[in-house]
Amino acid sequence: MNLPLSFSVVTAIKDGFAEFSKTYPTILAQTFSDFEWLIIDDGSRENVASSFPHLASDPRVRVIKQETGQGQTSALNLGIRQSKADWIIRMDSDDLCHPSRFEATKKAVELNPSAQLIFSDFSILDESDRIWAEVRLRTPLSPSFFRYLKEKNNPVCHPTVSFRKVDSKGALRL
């Protein structure tokens, strides 16, 4: 698929504007800026566009209102359907994004053109935004890692995930 944008960032939000006020600058200040950002408002009490007017002035940002009460999964799926790029970057409305995350993702895609899913190490912050813990995954990933994913737990932090919008057979991933 040859699309003009490198990435579509998809974020669902329902209220939580105090946390989002910390999140959005980390998206807009990425070192790699060729992306669109779809913010799906899942029935917030306040209006995202009027609460954050500077977002509306950024041509990369689209705020999409969803019917109240559809939930986060529905909101994220709506964002994926509305996205224009081949790669989706998942971002929660209350998480922070490393300034070079999109650039690192772009490099990973270029180095692994057949990749379908990319994820990374991550840090857990405390209430003061200080690093509380760091999670580092060993590479290369072994078959035992994938068995662990299937059988026990998922050490992949969802706000580090990027994936192809369409699978190898051309089916939309929702």
Side-chain angles (χ1 to χ4, degrees), residues 9 19 33 43 47 62 66 77 80-81 95-97 99 104-105 137 143 151 170:
V9 182
E19 293 86 2
S33 61
N47 186 297
R62 282 194 285 154
Q66 174 172 267
N77 285 337
I80 293 167
R81 284 191 305 273
D95 291 327
L96 305 179
C97 195
T105 302
L137 302 170
E151 297 170 7

Side-chain angles (χ1 to χ4, degrees), residues 64-140:
I64 301 169
K65 189 84 168 158
Q66 174 172 267
E67 280 187 47
T68 304
Q70 296 296 308
Q72 182 181 38
T73 301
S74 174
L76 293 171
N77 285 337
L78 175 60
I80 293 167
R81 284 191 305 273
Q82 296 285 323
S83 66
K84 296 178 183 171
D86 187 33
W87 276 88
I88 305 296
I89 293 179
R90 169 85 162 78
M91 193 65 200
D92 278 348
S93 63
D94 63 346
D95 291 327
L96 305 179
C97 195
H98 190 277
S100 62
R101 175 185 176 195
F102 299 178
E103 185 175 348
T105 302
K106 180 181 183 292
K107 287 178 185 173
V109 170
E110 290 170 346
L111 289 172
N112 304 284
S114 64
Q116 299 294 308
L117 176 75
I118 295 172
F119 55 91
S120 69
D121 299 340
F122 59 96
S123 300
I124 301 171
L125 306 179
D126 67 13
E127 299 81 18
S128 301
D129 293 336
R130 291 183 307 238
I131 294 175
W132 179 74
E134 294 184 309
V135 177
R136 304 283 175 243
L137 302 170
R138 289 183 298 195
T139 57

Side-chain angles (χ1 to χ4, degrees), residues 30-45:
Q30 287 294 303
T31 57
F32 181 77
S33 61
D34 184 16
F35 64 89
E36 70 170 343
W37 187 16
L38 292 93
I39 302 168
I40 314 304
D41 184 347
D42 185 35
S44 297
R45 288 183 297 264

